[in-house]
Amino acid sequence: MTTPPRARWLALLVPVAVLAATSCARADRPPPPEVRAGQPDRGAALIARYGCGSCHTIPGIDRADGLVGPPLTRFGARSYIAGALVNNADNLQHWIADPQAVEPGTAMPDLGVTPIDAQDIAAYLYTLD
């Protein structure tokens, strides 16, 4: 007995559809190599503790819906930090820890973020792509 053509097509399409659906699901990826030592989960907690969401909208952070600074949505896919710095881990950590040294007079306040905290915050931000 031969399989009807329609049944053969369905047999081929079902695995392809399942594969496509599972590949679209977002998997938790590690931060980029520059911040592999960073802890994104800790970074998320630090973002909330330092109050970054009072100025920025930040996905995944409760009550981070500020409108003073730019939204940090898809931060990991951006080319620049603060419109001037190439988006890489060293620049981001420097910006987070000491924004006034990078751009004197910027509206971003110096919150006293330690280098380790800046690394973890950067690790979280790079998950946003």
Side-chain angles (χ1 to χ4, degrees), residues 6-128:
R6 182 173 182 204
R8 277 183 273 166
W9 277 108
L10 283 174
L12 290 173
L13 288 177
V14 169
V16 170
V18 169
L19 181 60
T22 58
S23 68
C24 291
R26 184 176 173 152
D28 288 337
R29 292 175 298 134
E34 301 95 326
V35 288
R36 287 260 195 257
Q39 299 175 31
D41 291 341
R42 184 172 181 273
L46 290 167
I47 287 170
R49 187 169 42 162
Y50 280 108
C52 304
S54 63
C55 291
H56 297 280
T57 298
I58 309 167
I61 307 297
D62 287 338
R63 295 184 305 271
D65 53 6
L67 300 174
V68 176
L72 301 181
T73 308
R74 301 200 64 226
F75 186 86
R78 295 182 184 192
S79 298
Y80 293 96
I81 300 164
L85 299 172
V86 173
N87 189 359
N88 64 45
D90 288 338
N91 285 342
L92 179 56
Q93 290 172 73
H94 187 210
W95 173 252
I96 292 168
D98 196 359
Q100 297 298 319
V102 175
E103 186 181 325
T106 183
M108 177 132 160
D110 183 347
L111 298 172
V113 178
T114 68
I116 293 297
D117 288 357
Q119 182 181 46
D120 292 339
I121 291 169
Y124 178 79
L125 292 176
Y126 282 128
T127 68
L128 304 176

